[in-house]
Amino acid sequence: PVPLVAVMWAISQMMLVLAGIICALPTRAKNLQVLMGATAVAFLSVPVALDVVQNQWAGFDALGIGLMMMAWRREHLRGVGIVLGVMLSVGKPHLLLGVIALSLGRRDTVVLLWAAITSGVVALVTAPIVGISTYWNYVLAVVATGTSQSPRPYTGIASTVSTLVGDGFSASVL
């Protein structure tokens, strides 16, 4: 059986990438030709391919970066910081190191301050819900040297292929 949830996840992430592209483009550049070109480049890129193949979070990050670019263009530095703080708390924070480096290089202290405040608020709000032990277990899992992988590490379309052809070499190649 084809894992419908994996396909739905990939489609939703692609829609988030498209929304991020629309947010990132300047208003004067939002004609159909520019939008189609930007969408083609984004959908052929490695992060979007990882979305489809491995159920990654690149769509969520693309939307966040698009929102940050839109806020930066309008000089709403507080908005950039708030979106960055949410992205650092929820998405894959290592994908946002470039945005942090840009903020440091531009000396956008407002952005960095609001990112820190927002991340702290998200952590304080979620801690009672998930429990402090969840945070601690996550840190221990990240720093552990002997973490084991699942015997079936495929997700997304890779999961669909492995379901159809098995977990062997064919699934890895496809």
Side-chain angles (χ1 to χ4, degrees):
V2 175
L4 182 61
V5 173
V7 174
M8 290 173 55
W9 176 264
I11 290 170
S12 69
Q13 289 296 303
M14 286 189 267
M15 293 294 108
L16 289 173
V17 168
L18 182 61
I21 292 168
I22 291 170
C23 289
L25 289 175
T27 306
R28 65 184 176 280
K30 286 188 182 167
N31 62 41
L32 186 60
Q33 189 175 15
V34 172
L35 183 61
M36 294 289 286
T39 304
V41 169
F43 277 86
L44 294 173
S45 69
V46 172
V48 176
L50 288 175
D51 260 347
V52 175
V53 176
Q54 296 180 334
N55 276 358
Q56 297 290 320
W57 284 68
F60 185 71
D61 288 331
L63 177 60
I65 290 172
L67 288 170
M68 284 185 270
M69 289 176 70
M70 186 171 63
W72 247 318
R73 208 172 24 256
R74 296 176 180 176
E75 297 186 17
H76 295 302
L77 297 181
R78 186 176 349 139
V80 175
I82 290 170
V83 172
L84 180 59
V86 170
M87 299 299 299
L88 288 170
S89 301
V90 179
K92 291 184 144 192
H94 63 279
L95 297 178
L96 299 168
L97 292 177
V99 177
I100 294 169
L102 178 65
S103 298
L104 287 170
R106 290 177 47 150
R107 294 193 173 112
D108 283 336
T109 54
V110 172
V111 171
L112 297 171
L113 177 68
W114 277 98
I117 290 170
T118 305
S119 293
V121 167
V122 170
L124 288 173
V125 167
T126 58
I129 297 168
V130 299
I132 296 294
S133 63
T134 304
Y135 287 120
W136 182 245
N137 290 338
Y138 174 76
V139 170
L140 290 176
V142 168
V143 298
T145 56
T147 57
S148 62
Q149 289 195 354
S150 165
R152 192 175 174 106
Y154 303 111
T155 58
I157 290 188
S159 174
T160 304
V161 170
S162 71
T163 301
L164 298 174
V165 299
D167 285 342
F169 179 74
S170 301
S172 297
V173 170
L174 292 174

